[in-house]
Amino acid sequence: MKDPYETLGVARTASPEEIKKAYLRLAKKLHPDLNPGDTGAEERFKEVSSANDFLSDPERRRRYDAGEIDASGAERRQHRYYRDYAEAAGDRYESQSAYGDFTDDDVLAEILRRRARGGRGVDQLYRLEIDFLDAVNGAQKEIVLPQGGALQVTIPAGVEEGQVLRLRGKGAPAPGAGDAGDALIEIAIAPHRFFTREGDDIHLDLPVTVTEAVLGAEVKTPTPGGKVFLKVPKQSTTGTVLRLKGRGVLRAGKRGDQLVTLKVMTPTQPEPELEAFLASWKPASPYDPRQDME
């Protein structure tokens, strides 16, 4: 096997977080679902997954760095002949049934069994697009697999764009008696018609009438959890920002706010009375809305 550090393109001093980032970057590029028919990419994906599994095990990484084992997990200082012989044997010794050839050599048989037991299935990467409100509130979704079947995915409230959810044991089965790999679900969030998100806060531009802005009002306002009444103060104007506390994204036991920016809208149809009033209206306190632009 190749040096796992070289396979992932990371330094030997790389942190677990750096190793994970390198693996996810390569997995997205090489995943078989994104490279149908490309056997080279498929083999490279397997190498990258194996290298990640190897370096994600603190004990195996420690022993490898100390020179106690090689990249296959085999001992370096003992049974070198048996290890090399097993590697040369190829697929013949991938399963338990082939060990009968070595029943007269308990040491070699145990090495081969240990290698088969330690094998792990490949992680499989999927991309799941969800609605904006499902990302904020949480949901249950289903992924239909290319090879048939489906995965049930629990979307936690507050999930973010690009976040990867791990379903343990839902990836590819192991070639031997090892554990199955994991399913890695990368989340993509579809934009909403009028909500946007910044951190744990929700932002909304809310149209209000001239009357509501000048005289004040209570208006129904959409939030991710449903409509609520918002009090518009008198003399509000376009750009006024009002805060709805606790109406944002719930994450880590805390919920953000919703920030509502008012947009004063004039009637779209002719209003003769309003036009006549404004034509004769003389403000008690003259004002220049563009004075800050001088």
Side-chain angles (χ1 to χ4, degrees), residues 10 27 85 90-91 124 154 195 220 275:
V10 297
Y85 191 91
D91 293 342
Q124 295 181 316
T154 298
F195 290 127
K220 279 188 176 180
E275 292 175 12

Side-chain angles (χ1 to χ4, degrees), residues 192-241:
H192 196 271
R193 287 193 302 122
F194 42 79
F195 290 127
T196 58
R197 175 178 174 180
E198 293 184 14
D200 292 338
D201 290 336
I202 298 294
H203 289 255
L204 170 71
D205 287 343
L206 182 69
V208 295
T209 67
V210 174
T211 303
E212 290 168 338
V214 174
L215 302 181
E218 284 195 353
V219 296
K220 279 188 176 180
T221 304
T223 74
K227 290 187 176 181
V228 300
F229 279 98
L230 172 69
K231 185 174 181 179
V232 177
K234 288 183 177 182
Q235 305 303 317
S236 293
T237 187
T238 292
T240 298
V241 179

Side-chain angles (χ1 to χ4, degrees), residues 46-261:
K46 291 179 180 178
E47 290 176 0
V48 166
S49 297
S50 296
N52 177 64
D53 293 338
F54 190 94
L55 295 180
S56 296
D57 184 324
E59 178 61 16
R60 282 203 295 177
R61 183 181 181 184
R62 182 196 66 77
R63 298 193 68 201
Y64 178 74
D65 291 345
E68 298 175 6
I69 59 174
D70 63 16
S72 71
E75 301 285 343
R76 284 188 183 276
R77 292 178 293 182
Q78 299 179 19
H79 317 308
R80 183 176 299 276
Y81 167 78
Y82 297 128
R83 182 197 67 205
D84 295 342
Y85 191 91
E87 290 173 351
D91 293 342
R92 181 183 179 193
Y93 304 109
E94 288 292 324
S95 67
Q96 298 278 355
S97 61
Y99 299 149
D101 294 352
F102 296 95
T103 52
D104 58 337
D105 191 329
D106 293 338
V107 175
L108 179 55
E110 178 56 30
I111 291 174
L112 294 175
R113 289 192 183 95
R114 186 168 64 245
R115 288 182 62 191
R117 285 197 303 268
R120 182 176 177 275
V122 174
D123 290 345
Q124 295 181 316
L125 179 66
Y126 303 97
R127 187 173 185 271
L128 176 62
E129 182 173 273
I130 61 176
D131 292 336
F132 183 92
L133 293 181
D134 287 338
V136 174
N137 299 320
Q140 292 288 331
K141 293 294 179 181
E142 182 178 87
I143 293 180
V144 178
L145 304 180
Q147 64 272 27
L151 288 177
Q152 301 300 319
V153 183
T154 298
I155 307 298
V159 69
E160 296 183 276
E161 175 76 23
Q163 187 172 338
V164 177
L165 307 179
R166 181 182 293 272
L167 303 182
R168 297 198 178 277
K170 299 299 183 180
D179 296 331
D182 299 337
L184 305 177
I185 315 298
E186 182 183 10
I187 298 298
I189 302 174
H192 196 271
R193 287 193 302 122
F194 42 79
F195 290 127
T196 58
R197 175 178 174 180
E198 293 184 14
D200 292 338
D201 290 336
I202 298 294
H203 289 255
L204 170 71
D205 287 343
L206 182 69
V208 295
T209 67
V210 174
T211 303
E212 290 168 338
V214 174
L215 302 181
E218 284 195 353
V219 296
K220 279 188 176 180
T221 304
T223 74
K227 290 187 176 181
V228 300
F229 279 98
L230 172 69
K231 185 174 181 179
V232 177
K234 288 183 177 182
Q235 305 303 317
S236 293
T237 187
T238 292
T240 298
V241 179
L242 306 176
R243 183 182 298 270
L244 290 171
K245 282 192 170 292
R247 292 290 177 174
V249 179
L250 175 64
R251 189 169 56 166
K254 296 182 179 179
R255 189 179 290 276
D257 301 331
Q258 178 168 316
L259 302 177
V260 180
T261 301

Side-chain angles (χ1 to χ4, degrees), residues 267-290:
T268 57
Q269 299 297 323
E271 292 286 347
E273 291 185 9
L274 177 60
E275 292 175 12
F277 167 75
L278 292 176
S280 62
W281 175 54
K282 296 186 182 299
S285 302
Y287 70 101
D288 181 359
R290 293 174 292 279

